């Protein structure tokens, strides 16, 4: 779905206000985009704490760079580019952190850094339980996708960006995006077929 | 899957997203009524979309904005060490470059003078042509030497008078300040010195020659100063400024607009770097114009 023209115009107005010194305009932009940015981070990184930290860092980076924003693309596309780059970089460092952690467990026999998990005894309704279970399965299946495929699925099927916008923010051709999404969906279909 | 199914298969996703025009949607529905495979594909994709869209609303509070505001405010109070070090480091770098330039200039100077020997030879020919009219005509009637001898001005390194006169857009005889005799030297002596290469240079000649050489080349101090505008523009850009004119403008001033909130920091950084005069004026609500001019 392409970005609505009035939304783009509203964003531009906020950016111009910010550039002319109205600090609150940036807060409005953050409010408008915090959910999307957080969801992309969460679904790509698969960890709420990391997602929150990276989303915050993305907006701080945007704050520092917004003074030089030249309106060559929409604010949304610009922010998505920052988000994707940050996620990919964090994904790489996250991977190396996980690898180190496993190496530590292998060598020490136990992982001292793991937080102690306390059992939550709050009763959960069976339907909600099933729904949560389904969500967890989907999350796990997405987390197992190859990073490029995962990002394509997050942007297209979760955040509903158009193929053209995904191609623009990721920096590949539309055909490549379509092929990545088709492969990722097929992989997910196989992984999740018992959920039907 | 036959060709017709392939064609309709591509329409299933836009149909489920509500992006298909009514005519195409009606055609697809007609096909789905008669094709079980495509109907199953639509049902699969519909289920997939419904499941995956649950992920777009995580069951957690998303309050990034408050944290972002806190971080921005705290960063505004504390200037990070890297930023505090940036200006002194830049100053040290500029000073080092200036020092290196000076050392290179000093060691390179004699070699350059040797390399200009052929030009001195050319200058030696001047006496032959000037000699018959050694009786100096009145200044008002004296034609420029360059027009008498050559279409190109001669480069007389002994005095540099031709170059200086040419730069000033005047003939030698019209450039009395440059060629004024040294104290205790008559005007005639000066002329003889100009046109008599056989005479060995006196210490006074060397002093004069060196002082004029200095005028032809940028001294290292000015080389360092030339770097300042680039740094000032870089500082301004880092604070989100829009550059109106850079140092290449006729008056050498750098003018830029930037958000008022950034003005104080930017001016302070520029002042740390340079002794230039910095003036500030308001352009519009929240935007100020900064003018940096070398004193």
């Amino acid at each position: 779905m392409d970005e609505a023209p009035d939304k783009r115009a509203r964003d531009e107005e906020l950016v111009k206000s910010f550039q002319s010194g109205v600090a609150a305009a940036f807060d409005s932009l953050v409010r408008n985009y915090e959910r999307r940015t957080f969801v992309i981070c969460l679904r790509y990184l698969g960890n709420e704490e990391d997602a929150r930290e990276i989303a915050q860092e993305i907006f701080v980076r945007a704050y520092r760079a917004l003074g030089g924003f030249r309106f060559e693309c929409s604010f949304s596309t610009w922010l998505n580019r920052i988000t994707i780059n940050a996620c990919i970089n964090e994904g790489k460092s996250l991977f190396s952190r996980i690898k180190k952690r496993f190496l530590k467990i292998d060598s020490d026999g136990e992982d001292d850094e793991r937080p102690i998990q306390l059992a939550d005894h709050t009763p959960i309704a069976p339907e909600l339980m099933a729904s949560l279970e389904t969500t967890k399965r989907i999350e796990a299946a997405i987390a197992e996708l190859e990073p490029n495929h995962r990002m394509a699925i997050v942007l297209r099927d979760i955040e509903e960006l158009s193929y053209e916008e995904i191609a623009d923010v990721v920096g590949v051709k539309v055909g490549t995006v379509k092929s990545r999404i088709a492969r990722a969906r097929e992989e997910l279909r196989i992984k999740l077929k018992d959920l039907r | 899957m036959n060709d017709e199914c392939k064609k309709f298969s591509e329409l299933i996703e836009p149909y489920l997203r509500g992006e298909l025009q009514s005519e195409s949607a009606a055609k697809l529905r007609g096909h789905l009524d008669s094709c079980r495979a495509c109907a199953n594909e639509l049902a699969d994709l519909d289920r997939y979309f419904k499941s995956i869209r649950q992920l777009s609303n995580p069951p957690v509070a998303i309050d990034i904005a408050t944290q972002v505001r806190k971080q921005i405010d705290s960063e505004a109070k504390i200037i990070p060490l890297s930023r505090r070090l940036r200006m002194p480091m830049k100053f040290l770098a500029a000073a080092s470059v200036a020092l290196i330039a000076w050392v290179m200039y000093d060691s390179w100077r004699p070699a350059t003078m040797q390399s200009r020997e052929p030009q001195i030879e050319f200058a030696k020919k001047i006496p032959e042509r000037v000699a018959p009219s050694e009786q100096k005509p009145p200044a008002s009637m004296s034609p420029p030497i360059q027009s008498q001898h050559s279409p190109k001005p001669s480069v007389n390194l002994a005095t540099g008078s031709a170059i200086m006169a040419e730069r000033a857009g005047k003939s030698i005889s019209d450039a009395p300040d440059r060629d004024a005799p040294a104290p205790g030297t008559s005007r005639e002596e000066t002329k003889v010195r100009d046109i008599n290469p056989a005479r060995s240079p006196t210490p006074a000649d060397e002093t004069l020659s060196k002082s004029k050489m200095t005028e032809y080349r940028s001294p290292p101090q000015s080389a360092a100063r030339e770097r300042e505008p680039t740094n000032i523009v870089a500082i301004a850009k880092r604070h989100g400024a829009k550059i109106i004119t850079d140092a290449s403008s006729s008056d050498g001033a750098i003018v830029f607009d930037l958000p008022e909130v950034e003005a104080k920091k930017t001016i302070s950084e520029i002042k740390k770097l340079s002794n230039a005069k910095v003036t500030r004026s308001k352009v519009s609500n929240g935007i100020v114009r900064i003018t940096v001019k070398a004193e």
Side-chain angles (χ1 to χ4, degrees):
Chain A
M1 206 178 295
D2 283 333
E3 198 182 349
D6 57 334
K7 186 170 175 286
R8 184 173 177 157
R10 264 202 318 274
D11 287 346
E12 283 190 3
E13 215 168 282
L14 286 169
V15 173
K16 281 176 187 166
S17 296
F18 171 75
Q19 288 180 336
S20 65
V22 182
F26 184 76
D27 296 345
S28 302
L29 285 166
V30 179
R31 292 261 175 236
N32 292 347
Y33 285 94
E34 63 181 0
R35 190 207 58 79
R36 178 198 272 185
T37 306
F38 174 70
V39 169
I40 294 174
C41 295
L42 176 64
R43 299 310 172 200
Y44 186 79
L45 300 170
N47 176 301
E48 190 190 323
E49 198 184 326
D50 288 337
R52 207 171 276 284
E53 198 178 300
I54 295 302
Q56 191 176 323
E57 184 54 37
I58 287 164
F59 283 113
V60 172
R61 251 185 247 179
Y63 174 83
R64 289 181 193 139
L66 197 58
F69 183 71
R70 296 280 171 260
F71 302 96
E72 284 159 3
C73 63
S74 70
F75 172 78
S76 161
T77 302
W78 181 76
L79 185 68
N80 279 337
R81 279 189 199 137
I82 300 178
T83 306
I84 288 161
N85 286 334
C87 283
I88 291 170
N89 289 338
E90 178 61 18
K92 283 177 192 163
S93 64
L94 194 67
F95 178 72
S96 65
R97 282 209 303 272
I98 291 168
K99 220 164 78 174
K100 273 183 200 162
R101 188 165 164 169
F102 273 106
L103 285 174
K104 192 172 183 296
I105 295 167
D106 285 348
S107 60
D108 297 354
E110 58 178 288
D111 178 18
D112 295 332
E113 288 178 8
R114 260 188 302 193
I116 299 162
Q117 298 288 327
L118 296 173
D120 184 354
H121 299 291
T122 314
I124 298 172
E127 317 83 63
L128 183 61
M129 189 75 162
S131 166
L132 286 174
E133 193 56 39
T134 306
T135 308
K136 273 189 179 177
R137 285 284 310 278
I138 300 169
E139 280 175 348
I142 290 174
E144 284 173 15
L145 291 173
E146 193 254 312
N148 285 335
H149 292 179
R150 194 186 325 143
M151 184 55 87
I153 284 291
V154 169
L155 296 178
R156 177 66 184 159
D157 292 343
I158 301 179
E159 284 310 309
E160 302 189 341
L161 265 63
S162 70
Y163 286 110
E164 289 74 19
E165 197 174 355
I166 297 169
D168 188 13
V169 295
V170 176
V172 295
K173 290 180 181 170
V174 173
T176 309
V177 174
K178 284 185 177 172
S179 119
R180 283 179 186 177
I181 288 169
R183 283 184 203 169
R185 279 181 190 163
E186 181 56 22
E187 211 178 313
L188 289 176
R189 197 182 62 79
I190 295 165
K191 284 182 197 293
L192 303 172
K193 62 183 173 191
D194 60 316
L195 278 182
R196 287 176 189 182
Chain B
M1 191 182 274
N2 59 35
D3 285 348
E4 199 186 2
C5 286
K6 269 187 188 168
K7 193 180 81 184
F8 281 111
S9 172
E10 287 175 7
L11 300 179
I12 290 175
E13 185 180 341
Y15 174 75
L16 288 172
R17 289 182 187 275
E19 295 167 358
L20 212 56
Q21 291 189 341
S22 55
E23 197 182 328
S24 305
K27 279 183 186 169
L28 176 66
R29 275 195 296 269
H31 175 74
L32 292 172
D33 288 341
S34 61
C35 178
R36 190 157 184 81
C38 286
N40 284 342
E41 193 183 330
L42 181 136
D44 274 354
L45 199 59
D46 189 31
R47 205 166 29 242
Y48 164 75
F49 281 153
K50 280 177 182 159
S51 308
I52 206 158
R53 275 180 199 145
Q54 292 174 21
L55 303 186
S56 68
N57 286 309
V60 291
I62 307 167
D63 184 19
I64 307 289
T66 310
Q67 293 306 314
V68 170
R69 177 46 60 196
K70 272 185 194 166
Q71 192 175 336
I72 289 168
D73 289 346
S74 66
E75 277 184 11
K77 282 176 198 160
I78 306 159
I79 304 167
L81 184 66
S82 59
R83 214 161 164 187
R84 273 184 285 167
L85 286 174
R86 209 175 290 158
M87 292 324 300
M89 290 306 278
K90 277 189 178 176
F91 175 77
L92 279 176
S96 311
V97 169
L99 187 67
I100 291 165
W102 170 254
V103 170
M104 284 174 74
Y105 163 74
D106 218 34
S107 58
W108 160 82
R109 188 169 44 185
T112 310
M113 289 181 79
Q114 279 170 14
S115 72
R116 293 200 180 188
E117 279 294 326
Q119 291 173 312
I120 295 170
E121 286 299 314
F122 177 73
K124 281 176 187 173
K125 291 176 184 170
I126 294 173
E128 292 170 22
R129 301 196 182 193
V130 177
S133 58
E134 269 201 25
Q135 201 69 24
K136 195 174 188 263
S140 59
M141 291 177 67
S142 170
I145 287 175
Q146 68 181 70
S147 63
Q148 278 183 8
H149 303 301
S150 164
K152 276 162 73 178
S154 66
V155 182
N156 187 345
L157 280 184
T159 62
S161 56
I163 288 177
M164 294 310 295
E166 189 204 21
R167 284 196 179 178
K170 295 173 181 177
S171 68
I172 289 174
S173 57
D174 288 338
D177 292 345
R178 301 279 180 192
D179 292 334
T185 314
S186 69
R187 179 84 191 178
E188 284 68 29
E189 275 177 14
T190 311
K191 187 161 183 78
V192 168
R193 197 171 60 222
D194 278 354
I195 62 177
N196 187 2
R199 189 177 70 85
S200 58
T202 64
D205 288 346
E206 279 179 16
T207 312
L208 187 64
S209 162
K210 275 187 183 174
S211 70
K212 289 192 187 290
M213 285 289 292
T214 313
E215 285 175 21
Y216 303 146
R217 302 192 197 110
S218 298
Q221 289 92 333
S222 68
R225 195 169 290 171
E226 274 166 16
R227 256 181 285 280
E228 279 180 10
T230 318
N231 290 336
I232 291 168
V233 169
I235 291 169
K237 281 185 178 170
R238 202 173 58 244
H239 287 278
K242 185 184 172 190
I243 307 297
I244 307 295
T245 58
D246 58 17
S248 62
S249 64
S250 58
D251 60 353
I254 301 167
V255 182
F256 53 86
D257 290 351
L258 83 171
E260 201 167 3
V261 286
E262 294 290 320
K264 203 174 167 185
K265 248 188 282 174
T266 312
I267 291 171
S268 135
E269 281 185 30
I270 290 169
K271 283 189 170 169
K272 273 184 205 164
L273 176 75
S274 155
N275 290 327
K277 189 182 174 192
V278 184
T279 52
R280 159 186 175 156
S281 60
K282 195 160 186 172
V283 174
S284 63
N285 188 26
I287 297 285
V288 290
R289 175 158 295 177
I290 308 288
T291 306
V292 184
K293 202 168 181 179
E295 282 192 321

